[in-house]
Amino acid sequence: MANKLISEVPLPKSIANVFAARNISTAKEALSLTEFELMELLDVGLTEVRSALSQISEIVAPPYQTALSLMEQRGQNEHLRGHFPTGLKGLDAALSGGIPFGVLTELVGPAGIGKTQLCLKLSLLASLPTNFGGLDGRVIYIDVESKFSSRRLLEIGLRSFPEIFQMKAMAQEMAGRILVLRPTSLSEFTQSLEQIKVSLLQNQVKMLVIDSMAALVSGEHEQGNCRQQTLSWHISFIKSLAEFSRIPVVVTNQVRSHNHDDASRYSFQVQRRDGTLEIPIRYDSHLIAALGIHWAHAVTTRLVLEAKSGQRFIKVAKSPISPPLAFPFHITSSGISLLSDDGMELMGPEINAIHCQGHNEISNFGMEGLQ
């Protein structure tokens, strides 16, 4: 609307002619100047300038909307966006139905906490027929760390949906819907992404999983700005894939130790009246999500998987529709299950902190066979 022609605005003919004579042809050009600049340039009075600017603004500015009208619009458009249920009742309720379509959802946590387990479960669910709560389509699974296990996938399916996976033909059909790519370098990953956009249309793909983003650049660059710059194109491309295809895109991320400056990057700095900056609260955990602030802004929903005092939690750390909540969970033969559907509300530094207290004890009960 900023490029709307002034000739299309119902201004008095006399003032419209003056704008044209001074080569001010668009609303953007007119509104970029102050009232006094326009008075001098157009050689007209303040009253005429204000009247003209008011008419131009009324035409090009978006109308006001109430919270009620926005809520009604969201309800009307919900079928276009949609959410994919995870099967974790409490988490789905917090996220208004599950993993959102058309945006990036990140799973972040220490190694062995259950990120790949959740990816396998989500991939399986997406491949199921709609009458079983699935998306009845294919899944592209980019397995960067070679953690994808078809045996574990079938085990989850057999335990969760025995009526489907006890039939060999059905089990093979569901497993055949998950297309696994294993790029061994960032350049191979780049080639995979360029092919995926076509595959999304040709193969009825209903979900994209990338496990994991951080592993793509580990060992190639130091952490920090170099890593963020390396993935800048990939981040933008993956976001565009999500928006273009309107499917859920799930990406896992690793954790790293944070340095002295990380707290200020991830927290708001408050300026005191004397002009000095208030020191932000530091995390009580030594771990933060890898890939930096550029990546953090790219994801719409961040789910943190962590361990405190020997108990695993899945935490909604970032979401436009949910308050920060934590749900205790465990991993069984049927995949990830919540121990309680009632989320514990989080506040302050606890929202972004990532814990791994007692993680070794709970990850050594045979997870090697589950990965």
Side-chain angles (χ1 to χ4, degrees), residues 104-175:
L104 304 188
T105 296
E106 176 194 38
L107 310 179
V108 59
I113 193 68
K115 302 186 297 296
T116 298
Q117 298 290 314
L118 184 52
C119 287
L120 290 174
K121 185 70 175 279
L122 293 174
S123 300
L124 180 70
L125 289 172
S127 70
L128 294 177
T130 53
N131 59 315
F132 284 91
L135 299 177
D136 198 21
R138 298 194 176 192
V139 177
I140 293 181
Y141 195 115
I142 301 181
D143 182 26
V144 179
E145 299 183 280
S146 298
K147 289 185 176 180
F148 182 91
S149 169
S150 55
R151 186 171 66 176
R152 174 60 175 149
L153 180 80
L154 292 174
E155 180 186 19
I156 293 174
L158 185 61
R159 298 291 184 177
S160 303
F161 303 96
E163 60 271 46
I164 292 179
F165 285 85
Q166 282 180 349
M167 295 184 288
K168 185 177 180 180
M170 286 293 292
Q172 289 178 337
E173 181 183 345
M174 295 302 102

Side-chain angles (χ1 to χ4, degrees), residues 1 4-5 8-10 27 53-63:
M1 295 297 286
K4 188 175 183 66
L5 296 176
E8 298 175 355
V9 179
L53 290 178
S54 176
Q55 287 180 275
I56 294 172
S57 298
E58 187 176 348
I59 293 297
V60 302

